[in-house]
Amino acid sequence: QVQLVESGGGLVQPGGSLRLSCAASRSIFSTYVMSWYRQAPGKQRELVASITSVGMTNYVDSVKGRFTISRDKTKNTVYLQMTSLKSEDAAVYCCFGAFGSGDYWGQGTQVTVSS
């Protein structure tokens, strides 16, 4: 079993920034991919950003240039730096990890964008 714990969500004004963290209970060195998903009320879950085992990143078009996914293998943590936040970015953000032992999800962290 792997536990993924997100943190860093909160309330931010439009145009502001937040950094989400996803701490894994075991090494992320050999994960196939780690991703951030989001789900807003009444909408389907959306893949926001991913980072592969070799460091390749991918983003949904709506966040390109504003969000950055990164990882610190020494801390077993994946980050999502979010800048220039918009109201449409408001959602519950969940961390996902594809480990050799299986796929795991965090519990999510709420991001609210409002003035």
Side-chain angles (χ1 to χ4, degrees):
Q1 278 296 85
V2 178
Q3 282 76 48
L4 300 176
V5 180
E6 302 97 333
S7 60
L11 172 64
V12 63
Q13 293 185 342
S17 299
L18 281 176
R19 188 178 79 158
L20 305 182
S21 299
C22 171
S25 61
R26 57 170 287 182
S27 172
I28 64 171
F29 182 81
S30 60
T31 54
Y32 300 120
V33 65
M34 293 202 71
S35 304
W36 286 97
Y37 285 77
R38 67 185 178 186
Q39 188 167 21
K43 295 187 177 181
Q44 289 189 332
R45 185 170 61 194
E46 175 183 49
L47 174 59
V48 177
S50 293
I51 185 165
T52 71
S53 59
V54 295
M56 292 183 62
T57 58
N58 188 52
Y59 301 90
V60 67
D61 284 347
S62 60
V63 308
K64 285 180 180 178
R66 300 189 298 120
F67 290 12
T68 303
I69 189 170
S70 63
R71 62 189 177 183
D72 186 336
K73 291 180 179 178
T74 65
K75 297 181 179 179
N76 297 329
T77 300
V78 175
Y79 303 99
L80 185 68
Q81 179 68 50
M82 307 186 294
T83 63
S84 302
L85 282 161
K86 306 176 181 179
S87 57
E88 51 263 42
D89 295 317
V92 174
Y93 284 71
C94 289
C95 179
F96 168 84
F99 291 75
S101 59
D103 297 342
Y104 300 92
W105 292 88
Q107 81 288 350
T109 185
Q110 178 72 50
V111 172
T112 303
V113 184
S114 175
S115 55

